[in-house]
Amino acid sequence: MVQSVASLFLLPAFVVSFHSVSLPQPSFLNNVRSTTLLRGTITDAYGLPCDDECAVDKFPNLPDSVHPGIVTGQALRDLLDHAKENGYAIPAVNCVSSSGINACLEAAREMDAPIIVQFSSGGSQFYAGKAMDNKNLKAAIAGAISGAFHTRTLAEQYGVPVILHTDHCSKKLLPWIDGLVNASERFYKLHGEPLFSSHMIDLSEEPLEENLEICQDYLKRMSKIGILLEMELGITGGEEDGVDNTDVAQEDLYSKPEEIYQVYEALHPISESYTIAAAFGNVHGVYSPGNVKLDPEILGRGQAYITEKLGDKAPESGKPVSFVFHGGSGSDEADIKKAISYGTIKMNIDTDTQWSYWEGIKNFESNYHDYLQGQIGNPEGADKPNKKYYDPRECMRAAEVNTVSRLSKSFEDLNCVGILGLGEKKPASNVFGPRRGGLPV
């Protein structure tokens, strides 16, 4: 019997599994292709309407393999290569709710560009619900998978290419990634592509040799089904999602060219489906000007060092590897542009979008404060109802609108505007509001 898509939410086999470096390959993967170009997986599976952008077979300005919805395998590599060749990077936004995901998709379509939706382990657990037990990381696994299906369903409908990614995974969290890769292998068996596009493994606090050895094991397994690996080299400072690196030694915030080349030597023979989050002074969070000293030239020196080592085998671009920019919130625009010029194709954004979401709610409350103090009674009369003001859709929509606005700046900073070639989005029609009528938010 063919297993249904819905049955992938039943997770007993991998919820309780723990990391094993050997990472045995399931037998059903022995004779499968490593890359596929699939379009409309969820739309086709459930017979959803697919009009306008959703029905686009390919984008005017992108490689033919890149299509609306989640991109994986060769389509993913083609998209990232296009970014490097054309001097832009794709914003990667940490999401903890369906509302946050929707804001990302809306922003991507408004800016006519691709986007990366990513989940941290803590964000994944929150997505599942904080009341759900997280023994063996089962809530984090289930939450990430739930978010993946939400993103898959709506990315196709918004008509934008989306990279579905997971963020920092330290050694103690490897069972979380094991569970997600297991889910992708099952999804691949049904649909010919993985559930997720890529995963980050952050072993920067481990010895470099161990970091590379474990990344090699995962890349061997993941590349078979078209999943890209992002690895971290050096430590990102600051604090995020319960990981506190505020007191890390300064030298650990800056990667060395020789280390970047070691990553290339270890991973490139296995697959080209990897990126490097090299450290060049990156710090999570937002700090006063002058407190964070980025040195994007480290990336340029890394590219030059590898190019020299490769000799005649080096690419003409002089950029043999693709970099990821962590701690992008609050960064100086000049540093961002310089990092892109040295082969950065992805920049993480979390702190700024956390603030933009909260700021939207804060401003909504400020604007309608007198209508939000009780269910009945406001400046228009003691017996006037306030339901349309405290309907949660109103403040959440205000948060989404404010986040879309903030993300628009990120797209501009990253040169990631008008990439798809679809042009301006038509206004949405037949939009329902709260039962008593929506507010202008």
Side-chain angles (χ1 to χ4, degrees):
M1 179 181 295
V2 177
Q3 184 182 15
S4 69
V5 175
S7 69
L8 290 173
F9 284 97
L10 304 178
L11 310 175
F14 55 84
V15 161
V16 297
S17 64
F18 281 86
H19 169 61
S20 170
V21 173
S22 62
L23 298 173
Q25 176 179 306
S27 59
F28 67 77
L29 294 177
N30 290 336
N31 298 306
V32 297
R33 295 173 296 166
S34 62
T35 57
T36 53
L37 309 178
L38 299 187
R39 304 163 195 267
T41 302
I42 299 297
T43 297
D44 292 344
Y46 293 103
L48 302 179
C50 187
D51 305 311
D52 300 322
E53 293 94 336
C54 175
V56 170
D57 186 54
K58 61 182 180 180
F59 297 105
N61 294 347
L62 289 177
D64 290 350
S65 61
V66 183
H67 54 84
I70 306 303
V71 291
T72 64
Q74 189 61 48
L76 171 58
R77 284 177 52 185
D78 289 346
L79 175 58
L80 297 181
D81 287 344
H82 186 270
K84 186 157 65 171
E85 292 164 6
N86 290 275
Y88 67 91
I90 304 173
V93 187
N94 285 62
C95 295
V96 299
S97 70
S98 59
S99 175
I101 293 170
N102 294 350
C104 289
L105 300 177
E106 180 178 349
R109 182 58 192 92
E110 281 200 8
M111 303 308 288
D112 194 21
I115 194 167
I116 300 171
V117 170
Q118 61 187 27
F119 308 117
S120 66
S121 56
S124 298
Q125 181 189 4
F126 185 86
Y127 202 99
K130 295 290 280 189
M132 182 176 176
D133 186 78
N134 198 34
K135 182 180 180 181
N136 298 332
L137 302 177
K138 68 176 184 178
I141 294 170
I145 292 173
S146 177
F149 273 93
H150 177 92
T151 308
R152 273 193 166 273
T153 301
L154 293 187
E156 295 169 9
Q157 295 295 316
Y158 275 83
V160 294
V162 177
I163 297 172
L164 187 56
H165 181 70
T166 57
D167 203 6
H168 293 269
C169 176
S170 62
K171 187 175 181 180
K172 68 180 181 181
L173 292 173
L174 286 174
W176 174 51
I177 293 299
D178 291 340
L180 301 183
V181 175
N182 282 339
S184 277
E185 289 170 341
R186 295 186 180 199
F187 194 86
Y188 190 103
K189 187 176 182 181
L190 291 169
H191 301 292
E193 68 171 349
L195 180 61
F196 290 87
S197 307
S198 54
H199 297 295
M200 181 196 184
I201 294 179
D202 178 3
L203 303 176
S204 56
E205 295 185 350
E206 313 303 327
L208 180 57
E209 292 73 18
E210 182 179 6
N211 184 348
L212 295 177
E213 180 183 347
I214 294 177
C215 283
Q216 285 176 314
D217 288 333
Y218 275 96
L219 184 58
K220 289 173 185 176
R221 180 182 180 187
M222 290 160 55
S223 61
K224 286 180 169 60
I225 57 173
I227 298 177
L228 178 141
L229 170 70
E230 176 185 325
M231 69 85 65
E232 177 146 349
L233 182 64
I235 295 175
T236 301
E239 183 177 2
E240 182 179 58
D241 208 23
V243 178
D244 189 352
N245 288 328
T246 53
D247 295 326
V248 70
Q250 285 298 303
E251 60 267 24
D252 291 335
L253 298 179
Y254 300 92
S255 298
K256 302 174 180 62
E258 296 83 358
E259 294 171 334
I260 298 172
Y261 181 53
Q262 282 183 266
V263 176
Y264 179 91
E265 283 191 304
L267 300 185
H268 211 78
I270 298 172
S271 172
E272 296 180 26
S273 293
Y274 69 93
T275 57
I276 304 173
F280 55 100
N282 318 62
V283 175
H284 287 135
V286 175
Y287 298 86
S288 299
N291 284 357
V292 177
K293 300 184 185 304
L294 295 179
D295 184 10
E297 297 295 336
I298 286 176
L299 307 182
R301 291 196 289 272
Q303 298 282 29
Y305 186 88
I306 299 174
T307 297
E308 181 181 358
K309 288 290 187 180
L310 294 178
D312 294 340
K313 296 180 181 179
E316 293 182 6
S317 67
K319 302 173 187 176
V321 296
S322 296
F323 290 118
V324 172
F325 187 155
H326 277 237
S329 292
S331 296
D332 184 79
E333 185 178 345
D335 288 331
I336 294 173
K337 303 290 189 189
K338 182 66 70 174
I340 292 173
S341 74
Y342 291 135
T344 293
I345 44 79
K346 169 181 181 270
M347 186 177 85
N348 286 11
I349 305 162
D350 186 16
T351 304
D352 282 354
T353 48
Q354 287 176 340
W355 174 256
S356 67
Y357 198 92
W358 158 245
E359 185 181 49
I361 295 174
K362 179 175 70 74
N363 291 345
F364 178 85
E365 194 283 331
S366 178
N367 290 337
Y368 299 105
H369 176 83
D370 292 341
Y371 295 82
L372 296 169
Q373 303 310 302
Q375 290 186 287
I376 302 292
N378 59 48
E380 299 174 22
D383 61 345
K384 295 294 184 179
N386 295 318
K387 179 173 173 56
K388 72 178 182 180
Y389 297 93
Y390 63 76
D391 186 310
R393 286 173 288 182
E394 293 295 352
C395 66
M396 289 173 66
R397 180 57 186 158
E400 292 172 2
V401 169
N402 204 55
T403 298
V404 170
S405 176
R406 175 59 186 84
L407 283 174
S408 297
K409 183 181 186 308
S410 294
F411 279 99
E412 292 169 355
D413 290 345
L414 296 170
N415 305 327
C416 191
V417 179
I419 302 300
L420 310 183
L422 295 178
E424 187 175 349
K425 181 186 181 300
K426 295 188 300 184
S429 61
N430 197 31
V431 177
F432 299 142
R435 184 169 61 88
R436 294 182 183 274
L439 299 173
V441 296

